[in-house]
Amino acid sequence: EATMPLPEAPAEGAHAGGVANEHTYAAMIESFDVVSWELQELAARTGIYKSMADDQVAARQAALETRKEWMEEQVADGSLTMDAYLARLRRAITREQGHAKKHKARHDVVGRMLAIHALKRVRVMKEELQGALEAEQAEAAEAVTAVVAGQVAEEAQVERAEAREEARPHEAHAAAPEGSPSAAAGAGDVRAGACGPSCAGE
């Protein structure tokens, strides 16, 4: 399904510049929010981008924008489901945490900057994951509420129908014209009731 490489770990020298390296750098990103964040950082020239050469900035921006477009296409054509995306996101968080430890272990300025950059990416992905999970929970809760509301409405409709069925014979009896069999039967009932005990011996 993927048309771009998705290496499991950063290639050596991925931060050294060059079109191929920038393509690899972008292809390693699994998070849509991280791509967007990287582009913002790049535009502001902060963090690791503060002293980056202009030609490398241009190459990285092009690679990141291509990656972002590719992710959008995957979502649009349905080749990337939410479950698959969240699974990628979880793996990427773990992988990025490992990168941060590796960069920090260099004990130099560049390693420290790269470690900080990696940890910021972890934070972005965790927030994205949490937001996605909360949205799923809210959607599930809405679905349950809709089902329950539908069941309640259906039960109320059945009860109203049953009530109408019970009321129909009484309504027909009350509306019967005088002289009709039902009216006569009713009048006979009334006379029988009015006769009382005095009629018992007749």
Side-chain angles (χ1 to χ4, degrees):
E1 71 183 62
T3 57
M4 295 180 67
L6 296 171
E8 288 299 317
E12 290 299 325
H15 299 277
V19 175
N21 282 333
E22 297 309 328
H23 179 80
T24 301
Y25 181 87
M28 291 185 301
I29 300 175
E30 302 278 17
S31 162
F32 186 86
D33 284 7
V34 167
V35 174
S36 300
W37 175 78
E38 287 271 358
L39 286 167
Q40 292 172 359
E41 291 285 293
L42 194 62
R45 300 296 288 267
T46 59
I48 65 172
Y49 299 124
K50 187 174 182 179
S51 57
M52 182 178 282
D54 291 342
D55 59 342
Q56 188 178 356
V57 167
R60 181 159 297 186
Q61 180 177 349
L64 290 170
E65 288 174 348
T66 299
R67 181 65 171 175
K68 186 176 182 179
E69 291 171 2
W70 177 75
M71 287 181 169
E72 290 171 340
E73 289 173 2
Q74 276 203 313
V75 173
D77 64 21
S79 59
L80 179 62
T81 65
M82 180 56 72
D83 287 344
Y85 179 71
L86 295 182
R88 286 186 183 183
L89 208 55
R90 290 185 178 94
R91 290 195 300 268
I93 289 171
T94 301
R95 187 165 62 244
E96 200 68 36
Q97 289 170 330
H99 295 167
K101 291 179 180 179
K102 183 177 179 180
H103 293 316
K104 187 177 180 181
R106 290 173 52 172
H107 300 295
D108 58 22
V109 175
V110 174
R112 185 162 59 251
M113 290 179 64
L114 292 176
I116 291 172
H117 190 77
L119 290 174
K120 287 181 179 179
R121 283 164 51 134
V122 168
R123 183 188 64 203
V124 170
M125 287 187 285
K126 283 184 175 181
E127 290 175 354
E128 182 181 9
L129 179 61
Q130 182 64 28
L133 293 176
E134 289 176 355
E136 281 191 340
Q137 291 173 355
E139 185 177 346
E142 288 178 2
V144 171
T145 300
V147 170
V148 171
Q151 291 175 342
V152 170
E154 185 177 353
E155 290 173 359
Q157 186 176 4
V158 171
E159 289 176 358
R160 286 195 296 271
E162 291 175 349
R164 285 195 298 270
E165 288 296 324
E166 291 177 359
R168 188 166 293 138
H170 301 289
E171 292 173 355
H173 179 74
E178 188 176 351
S180 67
S182 58
D189 292 341
V190 171
R191 286 195 298 272
C195 182
S198 61
C199 301
E202 294 180 5

